[in-house]
Amino acid sequence: MTTASTQTVPVAESVAATPGSALKLRGLRRSFGGVLALDGLDLEAGPGELVSLLGPSGCGKTTALRIVAGLQAADEGQVFVDDKDIVSVPAHKRDMGMVFQSYSLFPNLSALDNVAFGLRLRGLAARARRARAGELLELTGLTEHAAKFPHEMSGGQQQRVALARALAVQPKVLLLDEPLSALDAVVRVQLREEIRGLQTRLGITTLFVTHDQEEALSISDRVAVLNEGKLEQCATPAEIYTRPATPFVAAFVGSMNRIPGELRDGKVELAGGVIPVVATPGSPTGGPVTALVRPETVHLAFDDAGPATVVRVSFRGPVTRVTSLLTDGTELHADLASGLAEEFTPGRRVRPLYGPDPVLVLAAE
Ligand code: ATP
């Protein structure tokens, strides 16, 4: 800690002392020419909560974030922070901290001056600015890099500076737009854990845009899955994965078998077994369907008269994916504990066994 910093409120304390704000998006609509980017998006993040926006390219994640930041106007809808509608508040008065995919640091300023920059706009005296920026760099593990310019730092370090800069102004809400996607895999995982640690410690309400499902599932309190500008489901990572509300969520998050079957009395009959079905609005009530079944819920038994033949085995560390072909040509993936998978070699006839949990079905494909 620098001498000057002792004259100000330590930033770690001052940021932490700010209670997280509640963020609410209501009926956001936005189109660009003929493209409807947001189609009535509703979403909430509670105080101190990290909510990820997850969805395929073009589903409106960045547009939603930019509208919250005030960098883009909505055609319709409202954004509330602590129940105050901020739609007509200009971006620089919204108290949002933002980190983008590209590091977007000022190339001619040191790490310290980059972090201090936003504080100057807020009218803080030079000494207090440097002190606070120094503390943010300490918080993000960058003290020894304070004097470096962006081109002298790694991507991960630059993104930490961007994070420190966003946090320096004690934002009510932190907005992260794919902040890790330009980094290599190892740094990505490390930095996402650091972001989560910092976010939890500071209790700052955060929206995190990503198209990487593993990232969303691992970092979030809740994950909001978007599709074509609408919210499909917003729930905890475990709920999103184990109880997807819609076939879209089921298919988008994690891998999924699509097995043809016959729906009768709330159960789907498949080659090798019967599974209970979750009824969702608009889903079929009977007849030929496609069942969505997670590979880790499929088990296999050796059976010379079984309806499937092993065609491929792929070792993935703790789990081995055994792929079989059903007699109708459908591929069936089973993720087995590697210790149990050794004897499932190509050519073996097997009978699939399914877990007891209900699955979603689609109209037959
Ligand atoms: P990605 O993961 O690829 O970044 P996204 O989910 O963040 O996608 P958005 O960037 O919000 O999606 O874009 C949503 C839709 O709106 C896309 O079809 C995009 O092409 C369109 N769009 C977004 N911004 C503009 C713009 N300024 N002008 C024209 N079209 C735009």
Side-chain angles (χ1 to χ4, degrees):
M1 202 176 282
T2 62
T3 316
S5 70
T6 56
Q7 297 167 4
T8 60
V9 180
V11 76
E13 275 174 36
S14 58
V15 175
T18 311
S21 292
L23 176 69
K24 238 185 266 175
L25 282 54
R26 283 283 169 272
L28 290 185
R29 288 177 73 84
R30 170 73 208 222
S31 46
F32 297 98
V35 177
L36 191 54
L38 291 179
D39 185 12
L41 176 68
D42 291 319
L43 187 69
E44 289 181 19
E49 201 179 20
L50 190 156
V51 176
S52 288
L53 303 187
L54 176 69
S57 183
C59 72
K61 306 180 291 292
T62 294
T63 303
L65 208 73
R66 290 173 61 80
I67 289 174
V68 175
L71 300 175
Q72 203 139 59
D75 297 333
E76 278 175 43
Q78 293 148 305
V79 178
F80 297 92
V81 174
D82 292 331
D83 291 326
K84 193 174 147 227
D85 187 351
I86 60 161
V87 153
S88 53
V89 177
H92 66 281
K93 292 200 170 151
R94 283 195 182 190
D95 275 336
M96 304 279 167
M98 193 146 182
V99 178
F100 302 91
Q101 175 180 348
S102 55
Y103 316 127
S104 46
L105 299 177
F106 301 110
N108 54 337
L109 296 184
S110 68
L112 188 84
D113 289 337
N114 260 286
V115 178
F117 188 82
L119 300 169
R120 186 162 73 187
L121 298 180
R122 307 250 165 156
L124 233 70
R127 201 171 211 209
R129 283 201 306 265
R130 292 180 71 79
R132 181 171 281 193
E135 290 190 351
L136 258 306
L137 289 181
E138 193 180 322
L139 207 61
T140 45
L142 288 169
T143 304
E144 63 189 282
H145 304 286
K148 284 190 182 168
F149 289 92
H151 72 272
E152 297 171 315
M153 289 184 282
S154 70
Q157 288 162 348
Q158 290 185 57
Q159 211 49 328
R160 278 194 190 90
V161 176
L163 183 66
R165 186 176 61 182
L167 290 171
V169 297
Q170 290 178 258
K172 288 195 161 146
V173 177
L174 182 62
L175 303 172
L176 305 174
D177 190 0
E178 307 243 10
L180 305 171
S181 53
L183 305 173
D184 74 49
V186 174
V187 179
R188 242 181 123 122
V189 171
Q190 200 183 351
L191 193 52
R192 88 178 177 214
E193 282 166 12
E194 284 174 29
I195 289 177
R196 177 56 163 162
L198 207 53
Q199 181 272 331
T200 315
R201 229 160 87 214
L202 301 178
I204 186 164
T205 310
T206 301
L207 282 189
F208 183 97
V209 164
T210 180
H211 61 264
D212 180 330
Q213 45 172 289
E214 190 203 315
E215 200 162 280
L217 294 175
S218 65
I219 202 176
S220 316
D221 291 303
R222 286 186 304 143
V223 178
V225 181
L226 268 60
N227 180 28
E228 297 183 347
K230 284 197 194 123
L231 182 68
E232 289 270 331
Q233 184 176 11
C234 184
T236 64
E239 276 177 290
I240 289 280
Y241 190 82
T242 56
R243 293 196 291 285
T246 65
F248 177 84
V249 176
F252 187 74
V253 180
S255 56
M256 199 58 104
N257 284 298
R258 304 168 89 88
I259 311 171
E262 193 72 21
L263 178 60
R264 203 169 291 136
D265 301 329
K267 291 183 180 147
V268 59
E269 295 167 14
L270 313 169
V274 176
I275 318 180
V277 163
V278 190
T280 54
S283 68
T285 51
V289 291
T290 299
L292 301 174
V293 183
R294 293 265 183 231
E296 66 270 24
T297 67
V298 180
H299 301 277
L300 300 174
F302 294 117
D303 181 347
D304 287 340
T309 306
V310 175
V311 289
R312 227 170 25 250
V313 179
S314 143
F315 179 74
R316 299 180 173 191
V319 162
T320 293
R321 172 159 293 188
V322 179
T323 303
S324 316
L325 266 193
L326 295 170
T327 35
D328 66 0
T330 303
E331 275 201 340
L332 175 74
H333 304 294
D335 286 346
L336 308 179
S338 289
L340 303 176
E342 281 167 12
E343 290 176 50
F344 290 97
T345 48
R348 298 288 307 253
R349 282 298 280 263
V350 290
R351 173 170 298 281
L353 305 166
Y354 302 104
D357 289 335
V359 297
L360 292 170
V361 293
L362 308 170
E365 290 174 337

